[in-house]
Amino acid sequence: MLASFFLVAGASAQLKYVDATEFGLVNKLCQTENRYHRVDTDKYDLTKNEANLLHMPAGMALVFRTNSSRIGVRTDFLDYNVTRSSTTAVSQTGYDLYIRRDGEWLYAGSNAPKDAHAEQMLIRNMDDSEKECLLYLPLFCELKRIEIGIDEGATIEALPNPFRHRIVIFGSSFTQGTSTGRPGMSYPMIMQRSTGLQFINLGVAGNSKLQQSFARIIGDNDCDAIIVDAFSNPGPEMIRERFLPFVAAIRKAHPRVPVIFLQTIYRDRANFDLQERAREEEKRRAAREVFDAAAKIYDGIYFVDEPNLTGTDHITSLDGTHPDDLGYWRWANAIRPRIVKILKKHGIR
Amino acid sequence: MLASFFLVAGASAQLKYVDATEFGLVNKLCQTENRYHRVDTDKYDLTKNEANLLHMPAGMALVFRTNSSRIGVRTDFLDYNVTRSSTTAVSQTGYDLYIRRDGEWLYAGSNAPKDAHAEQMLIRNMDDSEKECLLYLPLFCELKRIEIGIDEGATIEALPNPFRHRIVIFGSSFTQGTSTGRPGMSYPMIMQRSTGLQFINLGVAGNSKLQQSFARIIGDNDCDAIIVDAFSNPGPEMIRERFLPFVAAIRKAHPRVPVIFLQTIYRDRANFDLQERAREEEKRRAAREVFDAAAKIYDGIYFVDEPNLTGTDHITSLDGTHPDDLGYWRWANAIRPRIVKILKKHGIR
């Protein structure tokens, strides 16, 4: 009985590779010269670090339909560098595949390439029905070209964007997905699969600092709502200095879209590190002050001011700062109803 | 106000390093020549792979008491090799620290060394109270020497083993902790912190195959209970061939200790991989058959025969096979009451 499966669709035959430029790319802010960059960084006044991070395809996903029994990936990397100790290689340079079943995005396969040139098989031995596929790109690398591998005789075609609206999330490593186990486990992507909303990820690890340059990037592009993980990277002084000008710039460009600020999450190091605890509390106080001041000036701005959404047991940290998949999953499930409620108020559902 | 914290206990001063041979080492099966090996592998007939895995300190932990405001680690590695793509460097070569507060083990800090020779700071800026510390060792490397770093004027001393009984867990990568985010997130270690029971980890990734050699290792050492993640690595044929002789060997050495077998967990790749699904189902059927046969012969053997304990949403896999911290956390919480109930029946509490 088992032997018969080995014969299905020539499980060991070579894959046929198709350039992914033919397929849809979702969660994308704007057209870019390199399709897998998030922003054409030459157009903005950015630091080298900010530009490098925006060249990473964090949060973007390919969507396609295929009847192949196998799905593989082959990548030309422009920057391949597996050095982040608290993030798996799967999240840094790998791919994360979901297939729609009964209306839900169900996990299908994920993996990292063995090296910068390796092909990787994500799933094999599937039935030959038509499948709608959602393939999250790696979080921490730079890509030149992606090819999707399928069975020789199979078909593959672009899928229309299955997600509704354009909700931009600008934020820190927490938003880009540092310490996730696989690319689809960052909190915006978990929320995306359970809500059907399109979250456009502008997470830039260590560099979410209420910059005017990022207000311009967001201002230059259409969106239906904006979420900002604003208080994780800047210190209290920077929060006090930059928050109002940031909101003013966003409001000038997008007078009516709801803007939702997220309180920075509790860092588990603060269980015992008194300085970290005091510093983070001071940041949270600063965040409350500046938000209250802004709320007196602007309508349609919101603050999800709950730091403990990764759990009050404080066991979800990989390195004292960044959540693991358990923490991201809890956070995504906790903020989703809060965010959905605000969006509904603005007719976004 | 923040500035005052920077002055506490000279936060930037050099640490004083103390050889960890002075402290307690828990979750250890037996005396070994190299203290951080799990077994003296020369005494048994093992493959090179099995021996290498048993040289890794997976699941062991140092216990000590200190009033230091900082805790660091310095390691001499015999084998340092961060190559497992679905496991973080923190789990492969890093450390995971817990401190007892109000009777509970609370997460304090975790990290990986930057390279094979780097010192690493796990936590700083703590108050100067006496703290009971539990420091899990890395899961996938070989150690020669560990030194604990504390403040120059601080004290540090061995802590008696805080865990009760000796419960041996022999198993696969799932038991060793492949794809955990940090060493303390393997399911035996999660259960340990919430039950206070001592789980001695004999997880050997890819090599839990009901070997007679492992029955001898377990048979040669005192224990109060035995748990076996027995059906993850062998195929159905090997399960049928080796299960009864394995139970016989264990029973000969330990006539009365309860032996609890765990069903192999669902692999999320099987959401769409029909061959994987069929193969895993066949393994589970074989496991049920052989267990039923053994239960007719032996008393005090149990089977936790539930494959879906990482969740029926099947979203916790990092690479199609191994759970992430979310999956391990769910699994540990699901099997804990089942295991505790069996142990209580045998007076182990």
Side-chain angles (χ1 to χ4, degrees), chain B residues 204-216:
Chain B
V204 280
N207 285 274
S208 172
K209 295 180 173 174
L210 296 163
Q211 300 96 317
Q212 284 295 312
S213 52
F214 279 80
R216 271 193 291 280

Side-chain angles (χ1 to χ4, degrees), chain A residues 55-69:
Chain A
H55 294 164
M56 298 172 177
M60 290 197 281
L62 292 164
V63 288
F64 53 88
R65 190 195 320 267
T66 183
N67 62 355
S68 179
S69 73

Side-chain angles (χ1 to χ4, degrees), chain A residues 101 110 181-182 271 318 324-325, chain B residues 101 181 271 317-318 324-325:
Chain A
R101 179 188 283 170
S110 53
R182 51 181 214 260
N271 288 343
L318 259 175
D324 57 8
D325 282 357
Chain B
R101 178 188 282 170
N271 288 344
S317 189
L318 259 173
D324 57 9
D325 281 358

Side-chain angles (χ1 to χ4, degrees), chain A residues 89-329:
Chain A
V90 179
S91 267
Q92 292 184 69
T93 59
Y95 292 81
D96 193 8
L97 177 69
Y98 299 78
I99 295 175
R100 190 130 69 165
R101 179 188 283 170
D102 304 327
E104 306 279 329
W105 292 108
L106 184 59
Y107 171 83
S110 53
N111 223 326
K114 281 200 175 48
D115 57 59
H117 307 288
E119 299 177 22
Q120 50 173 149
M121 185 74 85
L122 289 167
I123 183 77
R124 63 182 100 203
N125 307 309
M126 296 194 287
D127 67 36
D128 63 357
S129 64
E130 284 279 330
K131 290 168 210 76
E132 295 179 339
C133 299
L134 169 67
L135 181 65
Y136 288 107
L137 309 188
L139 300 185
F140 293 99
C141 59
E142 188 182 354
L143 310 182
K144 184 177 173 188
R145 206 162 92 107
I146 304 171
E147 293 168 295
I148 305 297
I150 55 172
D151 298 331
E152 187 59 48
T155 60
I156 185 165
E157 59 178 10
L159 187 70
N161 189 339
F163 301 110
R164 303 181 306 280
H165 306 296
R166 288 172 53 85
I167 301 167
V168 172
I169 303 198
F170 169 40
S172 70
S173 53
F174 298 143
T175 298
Q176 186 166 0
T178 298
S179 296
T180 51
R182 51 181 214 260
M185 289 303 279
S186 73
Y187 75 90
M189 303 306 106
I190 297 175
M191 288 201 295
Q192 155 156 99
R193 292 192 298 281
S194 59
T195 60
L197 296 168
Q198 181 172 223
F199 290 102
I200 295 166
N201 195 324
L202 287 182
V204 280
N207 285 274
S208 173
K209 295 181 173 174
L210 296 162
Q211 300 94 318
Q212 284 295 312
S213 52
F214 279 80
R216 270 193 291 281
I217 290 170
I218 297 168
D220 283 351
N221 292 282
D222 279 344
C223 61
D224 301 297
I226 299 163
I227 299 174
V228 195
D229 153 27
F231 311 115
S232 300
N233 291 146
E237 305 75 18
M238 192 183 277
I239 289 171
R240 291 198 179 88
E241 183 188 313
R242 294 189 179 177
F243 187 76
L244 276 174
F246 180 84
V247 178
I250 292 284
R251 262 292 163 261
K252 194 169 171 201
H254 296 296
R256 276 170 303 273
V257 303
V259 185
I260 304 170
F261 292 93
L262 304 179
Q263 184 56 285
T264 189
I265 51 173
Y266 183 91
R267 300 177 182 200
D268 292 348
R269 179 182 293 122
N271 288 343
F272 292 98
D273 184 330
L274 303 178
Q275 181 180 312
E276 177 89 349
R277 194 189 302 168
R279 185 182 139 80
E280 290 295 310
E281 281 173 7
E282 175 64 15
K283 282 168 57 179
R284 284 192 281 267
R285 270 195 299 275
R288 281 168 200 136
E289 280 170 35
V290 295
F291 179 81
D292 288 348
K296 288 187 182 121
I297 306 173
Y298 302 101
D299 286 333
I301 68 170
Y302 302 87
F303 190 16
V304 178
D305 182 18
E306 291 164 278
N308 283 337
L309 300 180
T310 59
T312 54
D313 51 3
H314 300 314
I315 58 156
T316 72
S317 190
L318 259 175
D319 53 10
T321 300
H322 299 97
D324 57 8
D325 282 357
L326 173 59
Y328 280 118
W329 181 76

Side-chain angles (χ1 to χ4, degrees), chain A residues 1-62:
Chain A
M1 184 213 154
L2 281 176
S4 67
F5 282 105
F6 284 100
L7 302 172
V8 173
S12 63
Q14 288 279 79
L15 292 178
K16 168 179 80 181
Y17 278 95
V18 182
D19 193 307
T21 47
E22 300 186 17
F23 313 131
L25 187 62
V26 301
N27 309 331
K28 189 153 170 60
L29 184 68
C30 50
Q31 288 271 350
T32 49
E33 206 176 303
N34 174 327
R35 191 185 193 219
Y36 304 116
H37 284 176
R38 290 183 285 173
V39 172
D40 273 340
T41 53
D42 293 345
K43 294 188 188 165
Y44 299 93
D45 184 21
L46 298 165
T47 66
K48 194 162 180 295
N49 237 340
E50 291 164 349
N52 284 345
L53 290 161
L54 288 171
H55 294 164
M56 298 172 177
M60 290 197 281
L62 292 164

